[in-house]
Structure formats: structure tokens, C-alpha cells
Amino acid sequence: MRLMRIGEPGHERPVLVSGDGIGTGSGDGTGERHHDLRPVTADIDGAFLAALAEDPALVPDPAALPETSIEGERIGAPVARPSAVLCIGQNYAAHAAESGAEPPQRPILFYKSPNTVVGPRDDVLIPRGSVRTDWEVELAVVIGRRARYLSSPAEALAHVAGYAVSNDVSERAFQLEESGGQWSKGKSCETFNPLGPVLVTADEAGDPRELRLRSWVNGEPRQDSTTADMIFGVAELIHDLSQYLVLEPGDVINTGTPEGVALSGRFPYLGAGDVVELEISGLGRQRSVFRPAP
């Protein structure tokens, strides 16, 4: 199934998407139908995702839910209030190469502040003094079951609620020159994690190693790759992380970005008025306008 959250920040309502046009979460009349999920849950959050993992029949057939219009409304991030946003660095072989780094032998973990998560069409604020704001299309994994000390990667995918499009926006000077040795300063600026438009549950998203990721800046292509270029796949990442921390339902894992970012030196960094669009096959498309932080 495909899940959305619709409405102004802090007042989103849960929506189930059905129909022939599903996949974009656009609400633009492309065959999608939208159903009010409030008879089932007040929000799409960790508690709901945990309950859904235990009882997949929790959400009834769409015909049993009232239809709702989302036309003209804001699309929020498809999961509310993640307790953690966990990010994997240099997880695509070509991106590691363009960054001037050897492919990592173990997953590189850094954190983003959870309050960076915004909707897929919300403006992104360029930090004060920034001259190196960058884009990163990524496959986001949303956890559905608590995961701790998993015995093998074979167990891991059963802990996935679903997948979404994520932009791990980065300020490279903050990340690399002013960091003090950690990356999170360059990753945790306000609005630095557009997410969505939809959360596609694991049973419908397909093989997470066979998804195409693309990005554009002002309509010009930047990234075009597939998750097959991942050094560590989703199952390996969840297994590895579970040895060091406890993954809770609703947590978000950004699994890394492919080559084609500004850090490569091939493209200019982002400035006021630039438009970044991202797309992952089957998971929809997002569009963010970059504006100066007030």
C-alpha cells in the first residue's frame, strides 16, 4: 500500500492512495484515489507502523474507507515524528569515488536531527553564510518493527515498514571544514530532509536493490543510477546498525546517494531560487525550491 500525510505542518491527516495512477502521490488527477485513514489511525507514526507490522489486515480494503480530496493541499512527510534519522555515508561505489574516498569496509553512520524532516514540496532553506549547499537523492527505509541484535541480514527486511524518496541535503563546508570531525553539522540544518511524497510498504515496493534514482537541478539532469550500486544493501545496513543501536518503528534510514552531486566538482552548488527534483522508481517524485534562511 501507499501512505501519505496531507495538511499543514503539525496538522497532517493520514491518507491511503489507491488507483491506476498510484506511485506519484501527486493528487493531480493521474488515476490516483485518496482515502481517509482516520477511521484506522490518527497519524502515520511509529505506533501505527508497529501495529501494522503485527496485523497487516489493520488497514481495510480502500473501498471500505471514505474517499477524500487532496487537491491544493500540502503534502507532508509520509511518516510523523521519527525518533531518529540515521544516514549512511559513501554507500554507492561511484559516489565514493567522486568524493575522493576509498569504498568503505564497514557502513559509515551519521545522524541528522529528526526535525530536519519536511514535506516533499516544502521549501528548503539555505543556511546563513552557506556557499556549498548540495543535494542527494536517497532511498529512505522506514522501520516497522523494533530491531536489536539481529542475528543475520536475512532477518532484517522483516523489520522494514516501507520505502520513500529522501533528499539528504548537505552543507559541505559545515560538514567537512567546520565539523570538528563529525558530519552532522552539515546535515542537520532546518528543512534539510525533504521526505516523500508516499511511503510505499515493503510488500509493494519491490526489490530494494533494483530501484532507479534520479535528480535534476533547474530541469538539468544530475544523478541517474540504481540501488544496485549500493555497497551495503538495505538488509546488510539494518543488520549492521542493530548491533550498535536499537531501531524503533518510525525511524528513518537514509541509505546513501549515487554519484552526481555538487561535491564532485562537476556542478555548481545550490543558490536561492534553484529547484531540485528527485525521483525513485515506484516511490514518486519530489520538488523543492531553495530559498535563503530568514
Side-chain angles (χ1 to χ4, degrees):
M1 69 185 74
R2 287 165 165 81
L3 304 170
M4 300 178 72
R5 297 172 64 249
I6 301 296
E8 293 307 305
H11 302 281
E12 295 93 343
R13 70 184 190 278
V15 169
L16 174 68
V17 186
S18 69
D20 294 337
I22 58 177
T24 64
S26 62
D28 62 3
T30 57
E32 290 181 358
R33 299 172 70 180
H34 303 92
H35 307 267
D36 192 340
L37 260 180
R38 285 175 292 186
V40 177
T41 182
D43 209 345
I44 299 169
D45 55 13
F48 167 70
L49 295 175
L52 185 63
E54 295 303 316
D55 180 12
L58 180 65
V59 175
D61 186 274
L65 294 168
E67 286 200 40
T68 184
S69 173
I70 68 169
E71 185 175 358
E73 293 196 74
R74 171 184 175 268
I75 300 174
V79 60
R81 301 177 298 278
S83 62
V85 178
L86 307 159
C87 306
I88 308 301
Q90 299 176 355
N91 194 32
Y92 283 71
H95 174 59
E98 75 174 355
S99 303
E102 292 294 324
Q105 299 301 306
R106 301 288 297 273
I108 298 170
L109 172 66
F110 62 91
Y111 286 78
K112 298 188 85 145
S113 173
N115 66 4
T116 58
V117 175
V118 294
R121 297 181 185 173
D122 290 347
D123 290 347
V124 174
L125 300 180
I126 298 173
R128 295 179 184 181
S130 169
V131 294
R132 296 177 65 188
T133 296
D134 207 347
W135 63 89
E136 295 190 8
V137 61
E138 305 205 7
L139 174 66
V141 178
V142 179
I143 297 298
R145 286 189 174 92
R146 194 171 193 255
R148 62 184 295 275
Y149 295 117
L150 300 182
S151 62
S152 72
E155 292 184 33
L157 295 184
H159 294 76
V160 174
Y163 301 94
V165 182
S166 184
N167 190 352
D168 175 21
V169 184
S170 308
E171 211 298 331
R172 300 302 189 184
F174 296 178
Q175 176 189 352
L176 302 172
E177 299 166 14
E178 303 174 28
S179 65
Q182 301 293 326
W183 289 355
S184 292
K185 280 184 182 178
K187 300 287 188 170
S188 292
C189 305
E190 59 184 330
T191 71
F192 261 30
N193 205 133
L195 187 67
V198 289
L199 174 64
V200 181
T201 53
D203 62 319
E204 194 165 331
D207 187 340
R209 293 302 297 258
E210 297 180 354
L211 301 176
R212 185 182 183 187
L213 309 89
R214 292 185 289 174
S215 68
W216 299 260
V217 176
N218 300 326
E220 297 181 358
R222 291 293 185 261
Q223 296 169 279
D224 189 348
S225 185
T226 74
T227 51
D229 193 42
M230 279 185 177
I231 297 169
F232 306 103
V234 171
E236 295 170 279
L237 291 174
I238 293 172
H239 170 253
D240 183 78
L241 292 175
S242 78
Q243 309 307 306
Y244 304 100
L245 52 90
V246 178
L247 297 167
E248 299 287 0
D251 285 354
V252 174
I253 304 172
N254 287 333
T255 56
T257 198
E259 66 174 326
V261 298
L263 180 64
S264 69
R266 292 186 285 140
F267 308 109
Y269 286 101
L270 297 169
D274 284 340
V275 177
V276 174
E277 296 173 276
L278 312 177
E279 184 175 82
I280 299 179
S281 55
L283 304 184
R285 189 179 182 105
Q286 56 174 249
R287 180 183 188 275
S288 301
V289 180
F290 282 64
R291 305 192 189 278

